[in-house]
Amino acid sequence: MVYLSLDPGLAQIGVAISHEGKLAQPLATIPAHNLINQIKPLVEKYHPDTIIIGQPDPGPVADLAVALKEKIGHFFTGKIVLHSEDLTSQEAVQKMVEGGMAKQRRQEGSHAAAAALILQDHLDTQ
């Protein structure tokens, strides 16, 4: 079973994947503009069974997560799940700092790492 996870943000979207449904891996960070046209190729390439979308507490990003779910549902026939999350981007950065990752690499990978944290939390609770 393949899972694709999205960590929505106003400027960037983190993407993560799990091929066996056990371990989540950061995959990419994509710009938030023209988002659906960037997500479609990922869906076509990886053929996920389920897409997990991180949804923080109410606010603009929570609204974005709901809208994203609706838009993806127009072209993806698999399961789409909104997964409650908060502060995963900050947690991802903290883990990268603890791991000694350079600041430039942290900035490039924090959204994808946050998507992996969301996906791993979802997998662990199943």
Side-chain angles (χ1 to χ4, degrees):
M1 192 136 168
V2 177
Y3 295 83
L4 196 65
S5 174
L6 305 173
D7 175 36
L10 299 177
Q12 296 181 321
I13 308 295
V15 183
I17 194 163
S18 175
H19 292 285
E20 297 104 23
K22 295 179 184 173
L23 183 62
Q25 300 173 235
L27 184 63
T29 299
I30 57 178
H33 70 280
N34 202 14
L35 187 57
I36 295 303
N37 289 334
Q38 296 183 71
I39 293 174
K40 278 183 182 179
L42 294 172
V43 170
E44 291 168 2
K45 180 177 181 177
Y46 294 105
H47 305 286
D49 298 291
T50 302
I51 295 177
I52 310 300
I53 302 172
Q55 184 181 32
D57 283 338
V61 177
D63 297 340
L64 174 63
V66 172
L68 192 55
K69 179 182 179 187
E70 182 180 318
K71 289 178 183 177
I72 291 172
H74 291 294
F75 67 88
F76 178 68
T77 58
K79 187 175 179 182
I80 304 171
V81 176
L82 291 173
H83 186 81
S84 180
E85 62 95 1
D86 259 330
L87 305 175
T88 52
S89 294
Q90 289 88 342
E91 183 181 348
V93 169
Q94 181 61 35
K95 288 182 183 283
M96 288 187 271
V97 167
E98 290 170 3
M101 187 178 285
K103 184 176 183 178
Q104 176 69 26
R105 290 206 48 221
R106 287 195 311 262
Q107 290 173 333
E108 294 169 357
S110 66
H111 294 286
L117 289 172
I118 292 165
L119 180 52
Q120 192 63 55
D121 186 55
H122 176 78
L123 296 173
D124 291 348
T125 58
Q126 296 301 301

